[in-house]
Amino acid sequence: KKTTTFGYEIEFENADIDIIKNYLNKKSKKWYLLFDPSLKKGAEIPTPILKDNKRKWKEIEKLCIFLQKYSIINDNCGGHIHIGKQVLDDSNKSLLNFLKLWSTYEHVIYRFSYGEYEKPREAIKEYAKPISNDFWQTYNEYKENLLVPKEEIIRKVTVTRNRGVSLKYLLFYERPEIDTIEFRCPNGSLNPIIWQNNTNLFVKLLEYSKNPSFDNTTINIRHKKRQNIYSNLNKYNIIYLKDALELSDLIFTNNLDKIYFLKQYIK
């Protein structure tokens, strides 16, 4: 949608910093290098606010191709994505639906978000641990009480930012460039298709959470079947094809999205 906004944190290692810095300086003042303590010989490029149009995707593609020449992706690199909060409405019900949806299919989402790799980066254990159990507990605590302040629900699941998805930025800011939901589980990548696929999944998860036809029955059954695997990253490496097909049928409205999703999930 034209109103959807998002932004990336593109991390890379073993970088030729001077060449990359000069490249960004020629692009725009909005593009710059940021040095992250989690990266040993690399850096991060936080993108400006992006929108879903051909020009912006072309910019990302050119940047990825350029970075492939002067840097690499390794076990330190993440691929965090920020989605503008306007994708999700302001109701407690939609927020709780999102917590329920994420907690139920987190094992599928994580494997998908590993991008071209079959396993998570080593640093995921420190910077983007699973949050399924916390989300599920909070959902159940508030599902019958939709009149509490939304901030109370958010604070329940933002004790620390270093989880697979963070709602921290919904609490403290009133600026559109910062009012985001941050998805932290993706591995780093210099493949523009991976970035586009990840963005599409996260947007669709949020959009489905406000769908009046949100399928509580199917999601409840799936969560009960998988309750023993949540937050176990080793179990997240396994392919759960039936779960992935079910999630794709819930959130995607066209077959092309489903195909791209399943190809990246199965690897």
Side-chain angles (χ1 to χ4, degrees):
K1 294 181 179 180
K2 292 181 179 180
T3 57
T4 300
T5 58
F6 53 94
Y8 299 150
E9 298 176 27
I10 303 175
E11 296 181 355
F12 43 86
E13 283 277 26
N14 290 9
D16 193 321
I17 296 297
D18 290 336
I19 291 178
I20 296 173
K21 189 181 292 185
N22 288 336
Y23 175 85
L24 294 176
N25 287 340
K26 292 176 182 177
K27 278 177 65 67
S28 165
K29 292 181 180 179
K30 293 181 179 180
W31 294 79
Y32 59 93
L33 278 177
L34 187 66
F35 293 96
D36 190 312
S38 69
L39 301 171
K40 297 176 181 178
K41 296 181 180 179
E44 170 189 318
I45 298 174
T47 70
I49 297 174
L50 304 172
K51 290 189 176 182
D52 184 15
N53 60 58
K54 290 183 179 180
R55 184 171 62 85
K56 292 299 182 183
W57 287 120
K58 198 66 180 177
E59 281 188 64
I60 295 300
E61 181 182 23
K62 288 180 178 179
L63 177 61
C64 286
I65 292 171
F66 175 81
L67 291 174
Q68 289 168 17
K69 299 177 182 178
Y70 300 103
S71 65
I72 65 167
I73 297 296
N74 66 12
D75 244 5
N76 295 326
C77 302
H80 301 176
I81 296 178
H82 293 256
I83 306 294
K85 73 170 187 177
Q86 75 277 8
V87 178
L88 193 66
D89 63 32
D90 288 328
S91 73
N92 285 1
K93 184 176 181 180
S94 294
L95 174 61
L96 290 169
N97 281 349
F98 172 69
L99 301 186
K100 181 176 188 175
L101 186 66
W102 180 279
S103 63
T104 301
Y105 297 98
E106 185 179 66
H107 58 300
V108 174
I109 297 166
Y110 262 62
R111 180 180 167 84
F112 171 87
S113 74
Y114 301 158
E116 55 263 73
Y117 308 103
E118 293 186 358
K119 294 182 179 180
R121 64 196 185 278
E122 185 65 30
I124 202 171
K125 299 172 184 176
E126 183 176 358
Y127 294 105
K129 292 189 292 186
I131 198 170
S132 172
N133 291 334
D134 290 350
F135 271 13
W136 186 254
Q137 182 178 343
T138 302
Y139 164 75
N140 283 298
E141 184 175 346
Y142 289 99
K143 65 182 179 181
E144 303 297 338
N145 186 7
L146 298 178
L147 299 180
V148 300
K150 189 176 182 180
E151 291 75 17
E152 182 178 327
I153 300 173
I154 295 172
R155 286 193 180 94
K156 281 281 185 177
V157 290
T158 52
V159 177
T160 174
R161 177 170 169 245
N162 294 336
R163 308 302 289 273
V165 56
S166 173
L167 307 180
K168 173 184 175 181
Y169 293 109
L170 300 180
L171 283 176
F172 305 111
Y173 302 100
E174 291 297 333
R175 290 160 51 194
E177 69 270 26
I178 302 178
D179 268 357
T180 64
I181 298 164
E182 182 186 18
F183 295 88
R184 301 173 56 84
C185 56
N187 284 345
S189 179
L190 296 179
N191 182 338
I193 299 300
I194 298 294
W195 284 98
Q196 191 170 38
N197 285 347
N198 289 349
T199 306
N200 192 43
L201 172 65
F202 297 144
V203 169
K204 292 299 193 296
L205 287 170
L206 292 168
E207 289 180 341
Y208 182 69
S209 298
K210 59 185 181 183
N211 190 322
S213 301
F214 189 84
D215 191 345
N216 283 290
T217 301
T218 296
I219 296 169
N220 285 338
I221 292 171
R222 181 58 54 198
H223 193 279
K224 188 174 182 179
K225 287 182 178 179
R226 297 296 182 220
Q227 57 187 323
N228 294 325
I229 72 167
Y230 295 124
S231 296
N232 185 337
L233 279 172
N234 292 327
K235 294 287 182 68
Y236 286 13
N237 292 341
I238 298 169
I239 294 175
Y240 297 88
L241 184 56
K242 188 173 182 179
D243 302 31
L245 287 167
E246 184 175 88
L247 177 61
S248 69
D249 284 338
L250 287 173
I251 68 172
F252 296 121
T253 57
N254 67 74
N255 288 332
L256 190 59
D257 281 343
K258 292 179 184 180
I259 290 169
Y260 278 118
F261 167 75
L262 291 169
K263 283 180 67 176
Q264 185 169 315
Y265 174 71
I266 295 170
K267 317 297 179 193

